[in-house]
Structure formats: structure tokens, C-alpha cells
Amino acid sequence: MTTYHLRVNGREHAVDTDPDTPLLYVLRNELQLDGAKFGCGLGQCGACTVTLDGAAVMSCMVPVATVGSRPVGTVEGLGSAKVPGVLQQAFIDEQAAQCGYCIAGMIMRATSLLAHNAAPSDAEIRKHMMPNLCRCGTHMRILRAVRRAADTLKAGGAHAASGKTGGKA
């Protein structure tokens, strides 16, 4: 066991775990941040997507020892049930969730996109979101939600896409 100091959603955490433990397990089991889901465990579905230093990563494939001082963002850091972030609200408004299992990962992948490209084209949204799968087939609603969030941010809405935290950490 080694102690790792992680910065998740703007808060520091000390975690004792094995170096090879996937970041996903640390988030869910040690920090009780269960937004990111275990899907395939192979980095092929995106249900476990979080941001690491602003980039979307599949946390099931990231050993905790490789995180270092880079900030980690999870869906819990974007907003709350009472005050959802811009992307969360857009997903609600577009009814993008069917079963909801993939949605936290989708939102975190979209967070990464909008943090680096505030005005993506529809083709850029599709390309960026491609690694994440939705088995329910709500891809068109998800694309509309990302477009809606980008438009809201462009119009001066809250800047949730920057990874600014407001929820539980």
C-alpha cells in the first residue's frame, strides 16, 4: 500500500492503495464518487470517463500511481441535483438519458470538449464523443445536449464546462 494525494473536483484526498489500482476504483470505493461507472473494464465503452488535467480519460485504464498532481474531474464536480451544471442541465433538457448508465461518462467527455473548444461543429462533437458508447441508442439526444450546452455557454451561461466544481467532492 502506498499513500496517494489526489485532487478531485478541487478537493485534496489522501488514499492508501496499491499503485496498480484503477482510478475508477479509487473514485468509487475510496472517495464514494460513484458517477463514473464500471462498464467493460477494458477502456472500450467510456462509462468510466472522467477528466484528468482537463482531458477525457477512461478511469478503468488509469492506474492511480500515474495520476500524480494532475486534477481529476468527475460528474459530481459539475453541479448538484438542485443546481446542475450547464452540461447536466442540457442532458436533462434534451432527455438524453434512457437507462443513464453511460451519461456521467458522456457528460465528462463533453466537458473535456467544451473546455478546449467552446464552439465545436456538429462533426467535432460527433468525433469527440465517438469513444463513448450508449447502448440505449440516445446518441442523437446526446449530440443535441452537447450542442445545447455549447450554445448556452456561448450565450454567457455558467461555465460548467471548465471543470469548475460546485458539487460534492
Side-chain angles (χ1 to χ4, degrees):
M1 292 278 207
T2 303
T3 300
Y4 294 94
H5 297 275
L6 303 175
R7 184 177 180 162
V8 181
N9 298 331
R11 295 184 57 190
E12 301 292 330
H13 300 272
V15 178
D16 293 322
T17 191
D18 292 323
D20 293 335
T21 303
L23 177 59
L24 174 65
Y25 295 174
V26 171
L27 295 171
R28 292 184 60 82
N29 301 335
E30 304 297 327
L31 304 181
Q32 282 69 55
L33 296 170
D34 56 4
K37 303 290 189 279
F38 180 87
C40 65
L42 301 170
Q44 296 179 349
C45 74
C48 64
T49 302
V50 299
T51 59
L52 182 59
D53 204 16
V57 298
M58 296 185 186
S59 62
C60 71
M61 301 301 293
V62 178
V64 70
T66 66
V67 173
S69 62
R70 296 179 292 171
V72 177
T74 71
V75 73
E76 291 91 344
L78 300 179
S80 66
K82 289 184 179 178
V83 185
V86 170
L87 270 161
Q88 293 165 318
Q89 187 62 55
F91 273 67
I92 293 167
D93 293 343
E94 292 294 339
Q95 299 179 4
Q98 188 164 339
C99 83
Y101 200 80
C102 69
I103 295 302
M106 292 284 187
I107 289 174
M108 293 314 295
R109 182 161 296 280
T111 296
S112 171
L113 171 64
L114 297 181
H116 295 95
N117 181 356
S121 66
D122 287 348
E124 289 169 325
I125 294 170
R126 287 174 191 263
K127 182 178 180 182
H128 188 83
M129 300 300 291
M130 193 177 300
N132 287 50
L133 303 177
C134 171
R135 290 183 170 83
C136 298
T138 64
H139 292 96
M140 295 311 296
R141 293 181 192 174
I142 291 167
L143 293 174
R144 284 196 310 263
V146 176
R147 165 65 42 226
R148 178 187 284 251
D151 291 346
T152 299
L153 292 169
K154 188 169 38 176
H159 195 57
S162 68
K164 183 178 177 181
T165 60
K168 107 179 173 186

